[in-house]
Short mmCIF file of all heavy atoms in Angstrom, two decimals:
data_model
loop_
_atom_site.label_atom_id
_atom_site.label_comp_id
_atom_site.label_asym_id
_atom_site.label_seq_id
_atom_site.Cartn_x
_atom_site.Cartn_y
_atom_site.Cartn_z
N CYS A 1429 4.52 15.42 7.65
CA CYS A 1429 4.65 15.33 9.02
C CYS A 1429 3.23 15.22 9.55
O CYS A 1429 2.37 15.88 9.16
CB CYS A 1429 5.37 16.50 9.49
SG CYS A 1429 5.17 16.83 11.35
N ASN A 1430 3.11 14.34 10.65
CA ASN A 1430 1.83 14.11 11.15
C ASN A 1430 1.35 15.05 12.27
O ASN A 1430 0.27 14.87 12.89
CB ASN A 1430 1.71 12.67 11.74
CG ASN A 1430 1.84 11.65 10.77
OD1 ASN A 1430 0.98 11.47 10.02
ND2 ASN A 1430 2.97 10.89 10.79
N HIS A 1431 2.17 16.11 12.65
CA HIS A 1431 1.85 17.07 13.67
C HIS A 1431 1.26 16.32 14.94
O HIS A 1431 0.25 16.63 15.47
CB HIS A 1431 1.03 18.12 13.16
CG HIS A 1431 1.69 18.77 12.04
ND1 HIS A 1431 2.66 19.85 12.12
CD2 HIS A 1431 1.72 18.62 10.62
CE1 HIS A 1431 3.14 20.23 11.06
NE2 HIS A 1431 2.64 19.48 10.06
N CYS A 1432 2.06 15.35 15.27
CA CYS A 1432 1.63 14.34 16.43
C CYS A 1432 1.23 15.02 17.75
O CYS A 1432 1.77 16.14 18.17
CB CYS A 1432 2.75 13.38 16.69
SG CYS A 1432 3.23 12.59 15.20
N PRO A 1435 4.71 13.97 20.17
CA PRO A 1435 5.79 14.02 19.10
C PRO A 1435 7.00 13.61 19.77
O PRO A 1435 7.70 14.26 20.55
CB PRO A 1435 5.76 15.40 18.71
CG PRO A 1435 4.98 16.17 19.68
CD PRO A 1435 4.20 15.25 20.63
N ALA A 1436 7.59 12.55 19.18
CA ALA A 1436 8.82 11.90 19.61
C ALA A 1436 10.03 12.96 19.30
O ALA A 1436 10.88 13.16 19.91
CB ALA A 1436 9.18 10.69 18.82
N CYS A 1437 9.79 13.72 18.13
CA CYS A 1437 10.78 14.64 17.74
C CYS A 1437 10.97 15.73 18.71
O CYS A 1437 12.08 16.19 19.08
CB CYS A 1437 10.39 15.22 16.30
SG CYS A 1437 8.79 16.12 16.42
N VAL A 1455 3.22 21.37 14.63
CA VAL A 1455 4.64 21.18 15.25
C VAL A 1455 5.61 21.83 14.32
O VAL A 1455 5.72 21.65 13.18
CB VAL A 1455 4.84 19.66 15.37
CG1 VAL A 1455 6.27 19.43 15.75
CG2 VAL A 1455 3.83 18.98 16.21
N CYS A 1472 11.73 10.57 15.24
CA CYS A 1472 10.48 10.51 14.36
C CYS A 1472 10.29 9.21 13.78
O CYS A 1472 11.25 8.84 12.87
CB CYS A 1472 10.52 11.58 13.41
SG CYS A 1472 9.11 11.44 12.20
N PRO A 1473 9.35 8.32 14.03
CA PRO A 1473 9.21 7.00 13.48
C PRO A 1473 8.64 7.13 11.99
O PRO A 1473 8.82 6.17 11.26
CB PRO A 1473 8.21 6.32 14.35
CG PRO A 1473 7.34 7.52 14.92
CD PRO A 1473 8.20 8.69 15.05
N TYR A 1474 8.19 8.24 11.65
CA TYR A 1474 7.64 8.50 10.26
C TYR A 1474 8.87 8.92 9.42
O TYR A 1474 8.64 9.08 8.19
CB TYR A 1474 6.53 9.38 10.16
CG TYR A 1474 5.41 8.77 10.99
CD1 TYR A 1474 5.25 9.11 12.33
CD2 TYR A 1474 4.58 7.83 10.38
CE1 TYR A 1474 4.21 8.53 13.09
CE2 TYR A 1474 3.48 7.33 11.25
CZ TYR A 1474 3.35 7.59 12.49
OH TYR A 1474 2.46 6.97 13.28
N ARG A 1476 10.00 11.97 8.80
CA ARG A 1476 9.59 13.10 7.95
C ARG A 1476 10.34 14.35 8.23
O ARG A 1476 9.93 15.42 8.07
CB ARG A 1476 8.02 13.27 8.28
CG ARG A 1476 7.14 12.35 7.54
CD ARG A 1476 6.96 12.48 6.05
NE ARG A 1476 8.16 11.82 5.25
CZ ARG A 1476 8.80 12.41 4.32
NH1 ARG A 1476 8.38 13.64 3.93
NH2 ARG A 1476 9.80 11.84 3.67
N ILE A 1477 11.54 14.25 8.85
CA ILE A 1477 12.34 15.49 9.07
C ILE A 1477 13.74 15.26 8.18
O ILE A 1477 14.21 14.24 8.18
CB ILE A 1477 12.86 15.54 10.55
CG1 ILE A 1477 11.53 15.48 11.34
CG2 ILE A 1477 13.59 16.98 10.77
CD1 ILE A 1477 11.72 15.80 12.91
N LYS A 1488 11.19 20.53 8.22
CA LYS A 1488 10.09 19.63 7.84
C LYS A 1488 8.85 20.39 7.50
O LYS A 1488 8.81 21.62 7.62
CB LYS A 1488 9.87 18.73 9.13
CG LYS A 1488 9.54 19.35 10.42
CD LYS A 1488 8.82 18.45 11.29
CE LYS A 1488 7.99 19.17 12.29
NZ LYS A 1488 6.66 19.64 11.68
N THR A 1544 2.94 7.90 18.60
CA THR A 1544 3.12 9.42 18.62
C THR A 1544 1.83 10.18 18.44
O THR A 1544 1.68 11.41 18.44
CB THR A 1544 4.05 9.89 17.40
OG1 THR A 1544 3.45 9.52 16.16
CG2 THR A 1544 5.39 9.21 17.64
S1 SF4 B 3184 5.58 13.00 12.33
FE1 SF4 B 3184 7.63 13.01 13.16
S2 SF4 B 3184 8.37 15.11 12.79
FE2 SF4 B 3184 6.10 15.12 12.75
S3 SF4 B 3184 5.36 15.60 14.64
FE3 SF4 B 3184 5.41 13.36 14.51
S4 SF4 B 3184 7.29 12.73 15.33
FE4 SF4 B 3184 7.38 14.91 14.94
#
Side-chain angles (χ1 to χ4, degrees):
C1429 161
N1430 295 291
H1431 299 276
C1432 306
C1437 59
V1455 173
C1472 170
Y1474 298 94
R1476 284 290 77 225
I1477 306 187
K1488 66 165 200 69
T1544 62

